[in-house]
Amino acid sequence: MIEKPEKTETIQVNAAADTAVEQAYNQRSNRIVAISCVSFFVAMIGMAYAAVPLYQMFCQVTGYGGTTQRVEQMSDTILDQTVKVRFDANVSGGLPWDFKPVQREVTVRIGETTIINYEAKNISDRPTAGRATFNVSPDLTGSYFNKVQCFCFTDTTLAAGETMEMPVMFFVDPDIVKEKDLKGLTTITLSYTFFPLDKEPANAAVQPVTSQKKAELAAPIKPQG
């Protein structure tokens, strides 16, 4: 009869110890969950910032979406075959610029390095800044359209009323003639779009040429004068 209180006290002590262990375990689990959530949030922010440059790198390496290639040297092989390259210019996001190619099109030998110019004019009464993105059409030609020099992805500021010529040096890789899906290709369209620096979209590098724009580019060129 005297042992019962001792057993009751022992049970109470054990229960208290179990409760303390359970509380400590729950606190540890909560800390792990909190740390995991914070780490996930930080990782998502990092991925968001990295997504655009990584996507642009992927496009430039693969030619995906008509993204052209950047090279440091000119082609050492020039074929007798020719291709027509047409030039398209667009301004988006309310940027007050008049932007156009100086030449509407050129016919070049495949592998031949060519220089053409675009022209941009700030038609507002204040300095404005823009950045150009680009692509080529058909998309598959992006892997073979090599630019040695261009103004793409470069911040450009024009004073009020200022006009600037923007050169593009390029060549079409001779390996394009080996591409079965491009047999019979006669025309490549190089398209640039200028965006205000504070409004450039994340996927601007692969903006497609719209059906309406393709129809305009396919229209016969009217003689000057």
Side-chain angles (χ1 to χ4, degrees):
M1 298 296 292
I2 300 176
E3 295 178 355
K4 288 183 179 180
E6 294 180 358
K7 290 183 178 181
T8 301
E9 291 176 1
T10 301
I11 292 173
Q12 291 176 344
V13 169
N14 291 339
D18 290 342
T19 301
V21 170
E22 183 178 357
Q23 289 176 346
Y25 176 79
N26 290 336
Q27 290 176 354
R28 182 172 179 273
S29 298
N30 291 338
R31 284 197 298 270
I32 292 174
V33 171
I35 292 172
S36 298
C37 289
V38 172
S39 300
F40 179 79
F41 180 72
V42 172
M44 288 300 99
I45 294 176
M47 290 177 65
Y49 277 103
V52 174
L54 288 175
Y55 185 68
Q56 290 178 353
M57 184 184 300
F58 167 78
C59 291
Q60 290 170 356
V61 169
T62 64
Y64 177 77
T67 303
T68 63
Q69 307 301 296
R70 293 296 300 271
V71 295
E72 299 296 330
Q73 61 183 22
M74 305 175 189
S75 172
D76 56 3
T77 302
I78 300 177
L79 307 181
D80 290 332
Q81 296 169 257
T82 62
V83 64
K84 183 186 297 181
V85 182
R86 308 194 82 173
F87 306 105
D88 178 42
N90 305 277
V91 178
S92 184
L95 184 66
W97 287 11
D98 180 15
F99 176 56
K100 60 187 177 182
V102 175
Q103 298 166 273
R104 176 75 175 273
E105 65 178 41
V106 294
T107 299
V108 298
R109 295 168 64 187
I110 295 176
E112 176 185 16
T113 301
T114 303
I115 300 178
I116 62 95
N117 285 287
Y118 277 77
E119 182 180 274
K121 180 178 181 180
N122 180 3
I123 57 177
S124 73
D125 58 358
R126 58 185 176 82
T128 51
R131 180 182 298 168
T133 61
F134 62 90
N135 73 314
V136 293
S137 167
D139 289 353
L140 192 57
T141 60
S143 297
Y144 303 98
F145 197 97
N146 297 303
K147 288 192 292 188
V148 182
Q149 175 187 350
C150 85
F151 52 87
C152 45
F153 298 117
T154 300
D155 297 353
T156 303
T157 300
L158 297 179
E162 181 183 2
T163 299
M164 178 183 293
E165 283 202 348
M166 301 176 173
V168 179
M169 181 185 295
F170 68 91
F171 66 88
V172 179
D173 192 327
D175 284 343
I176 197 171
V177 301
K178 301 176 184 177
E179 180 62 61
K180 295 180 180 179
D181 292 334
L182 292 175
K183 293 294 184 182
L185 176 72
T186 59
T187 303
I188 299 173
T189 299
L190 174 63
S191 180
Y192 282 92
T193 300
F194 256 107
F195 293 88
L197 284 180
D198 60 343
K199 295 182 179 180
E200 183 186 358
N203 63 340
V206 291
Q207 290 291 317
V209 180
T210 63
S211 298
Q212 180 180 355
K213 179 61 70 174
K214 288 180 180 178
E216 293 174 0
L217 291 170
I221 300 174
K222 296 181 181 180
Q224 300 290 328

